[in-house]
Amino acid sequence: WWACERAGFRCNIARTPESAVECFLDKHHEIVIIDGRHSRYFEADAVCHYVNCVMYAVLYNMSLSVLQRYLENSSVSVCYNELIQLEHGEVRAQFKLRACNSVFTALEQCQEAVEISSEDHVIQYVNPAFEKMMGYHRGELIGKELTELPKSEKNSADLLDTINTCIKKGKVSRHNIRPCLTLVTASFTKCNSLRHKDRRKESVDVRSISSHSSDAPSLQNRRYSSMARIHSMTIEAPITKVINIINAAQESSPVTVAEALDRVLEILRTTELYSPQLASKEDDPHTNDLVGGLMSDGLRRLSGNEYVFSKNMSQSQLAVPVPLNDIPSSIAELLNEEEHWEFNILELEAATHKRPLSYLGLKIFSAFGVCEFLNCTEATLRSWLQVIEANYHASNSYHNSTHAADVLHATAYFLRKDRVKGSLDQLDEVAALLAATVHDVDHPGRTNSFLCNAGSELAILYNDTAVLESHHAALAFQLTVRDGKCNIFKNMERTQFRTLRQAIIDMVLATEMTRHFEHVNKFVNSINKPMSSEGSDCEGQASIRNSPENRLLIKRMLIKCADVANPCRPLELCIEWAGRISEEYFAQTDEEKRQGLPVVMPVFDRNTCSIPKSQISFIDYFITDMFDAWDAFASLPGLMEHLAENYKYWKNLDEMKCKSLRPPPPP
């Protein structure tokens, strides 16, 4: 019983031969285990007479010749191993035998002509429908190739030519041949490798046991030799299952539908399923440059120039922030507005002399009980915030500690929304706040594409893949564990720390823009659509939100929206952030030209760029759909109003042919 629970088998117990047989007839178990330690309670032969499956006996000192024997052992692991061997041995062998019987019974009754041939196209089997269509008996066909068959009045003149032409092309479509014909190019001797669909591999401990149903792929009429190994795989990717279902649907579809499904399959077999296909650069260079620059890892053209940015590792430049209770009144007054979306982070930046992250972090972490959850002191948290903030580059116009503080503020704001709060537990909340704090630590003010093109050490270290995001996450933990004075995790239990660490890393990596559309589409399809479907009650919605997979999607969406929430801020803040990010892109373009590197976003030339156009493109391609989905989940009407107002502002500037942040002064 314990071993079966560990193996995930469903268990039924019967204590008499009669109840055992009754149970078997009801459940059709694949394994029956007879407890033979006390023979007077059970007559094994009586059970064997009525039950036809893998029989097994647990024995103490007696023997039963009709059963596989197993001596009693108190070790759960030994019993578990024995069960697994049974499942992968005798039970699977029976599955294959039943599958073959089922397959050929179906083929014999099939109205469509079916031929099974070897890889050399030598016929191994034909069904009655094939005999009728071809005009030959089975004995005349087995062991021959179709090309060897003489043409006669028994079959239509062009039938064999049509079939052979299809074989030479490498595939046979039933839609190309009339009457219908299916060729299965797989050796007859290999048929036992095809697994039967949804056949329960149950076991019974009579004491009887049964396992969960199999997820084996369905048997298809069409099997090509090149696909035989793939379809016999034990572990199958979801996309493969989708393709298999579509392939099966094609078999019984009209020609027009089958052709449409072929086009669907072509799309599904590509790797970039979530990335939109942009128009040519002549159509909208601002959009193409911006989207292309943010969603690619660069041209992968390594030059002799090595881009090395300085790490601001000096901790002596910034004093450790004072305890929360001793914060200067001017700063405390600003922090009192922290729970409102209109909170002005730029005023806090000025009041704290460009140290907003440490002060805002103390306030927010205190409100969410982070110290209590981590079991660390406020002094340790203050030291950690100071170390993290010291490793943001104050010289960056955009990716500095003020941006981190802004993202932290947005994260906390989202976490306070009822539906978000009801979907996440405290570990999720703490992970989100910590991830927001460190998500851009040591950002050089250059994009991933730039680092890859420049052949930087980080690009080489992370193989040109999510270079900055991987660096932010790794450095955050390096800085944290380097010194016990700032190690906020030192008192955590190991398992909880591992869970928290994984959540933080996942959220930081989610800020990488190359997978933007993947994250948004998964959120919409897994959460928005099921929750908005008819008949989805409150309990059903809660179960949708609270599954581990969907909580992961919610956390990713939360930090992604917090990271690029600037267009949803009040207009003055939106304008300031637009100016800062534009300046950072201008500086990158300047350096790319100086170093002779590929210019990733040519439109961000400080002499020619239209900032309104770039903002419009960013909102159109990245912001609108994402915040529509997030608003549908978290209910953020205020943000959507700001977004509409800001978009209108940029549109008006663009219509005025104005390229700057603000309209020209009146004459």
Side-chain angles (χ1 to χ4, degrees), residues 311-435:
K311 295 181 180 179
N312 184 5
M313 303 298 290
S314 173
Q315 301 176 15
S316 60
Q317 297 176 9
L318 297 177
V320 178
V322 296
L324 194 58
N325 294 334
D326 298 329
I327 287 178
S329 58
S330 59
I331 297 176
E333 212 171 298
L334 290 173
L335 291 175
N336 286 336
E337 301 298 314
E338 168 266 321
E339 292 191 16
H340 302 291
W341 181 252
E342 288 71 22
F343 173 73
N344 194 322
I345 193 68
L346 302 180
E347 290 181 357
L348 184 65
E349 176 190 58
T352 59
H353 306 289
K354 296 190 176 181
R355 287 186 291 155
L357 183 59
S358 296
Y359 287 96
L360 184 64
L362 275 179
K363 179 69 184 296
I364 290 177
F365 286 6
S366 174
F368 281 86
V370 173
C371 285
E372 291 79 3
F373 179 83
L374 298 176
N375 192 23
C376 72
T377 64
E378 186 183 300
T380 303
L381 179 63
R382 291 201 312 270
S383 298
W384 180 78
L385 285 168
Q386 185 251 354
V387 168
I388 296 299
E389 185 155 41
N391 281 275
Y392 276 92
H393 298 201
S395 57
N396 291 343
S397 59
Y398 183 88
H399 287 101
N400 48 42
S401 71
T402 304
H403 167 65
D406 185 61
V407 175
L408 175 61
H409 171 262
T411 299
Y413 182 84
F414 294 151
L415 288 174
R416 291 185 175 111
K417 305 306 287 185
D418 289 341
R419 187 173 277 176
V420 178
K421 193 172 184 63
S423 304
L424 306 178
D425 59 24
Q426 191 177 11
L427 186 144
D428 295 323
E429 292 180 351
V430 172
L433 295 171
L434 295 176

Side-chain angles (χ1 to χ4, degrees), residues 548-576:
E549 298 81 5
N550 288 349
R551 280 165 51 205
L552 194 68
L553 298 180
I554 291 170
K555 287 185 289 184
R556 289 174 180 170
M557 191 72 160
L558 185 151
I559 197 167
K560 280 181 61 60
C561 289
D563 188 28
V564 292
N566 308 149
C568 299
R569 293 288 188 182
L571 180 60
E572 284 305 311
L573 290 175
C574 173
I575 294 172
E576 175 64 22

Side-chain angles (χ1 to χ4, degrees), residues 56-67:
Y56 205 60
V58 179
L59 305 173
Y60 176 58
N61 55 10
M62 62 177 292
S63 63
L64 294 170
S65 58
V66 295
L67 303 173

Side-chain angles (χ1 to χ4, degrees), residues 174-187:
R174 53 171 291 199
H175 306 292
N176 298 335
I177 305 171
R178 292 292 183 268
C180 291
L181 168 67
T182 300
L183 300 184
V184 183
T185 311
S187 172

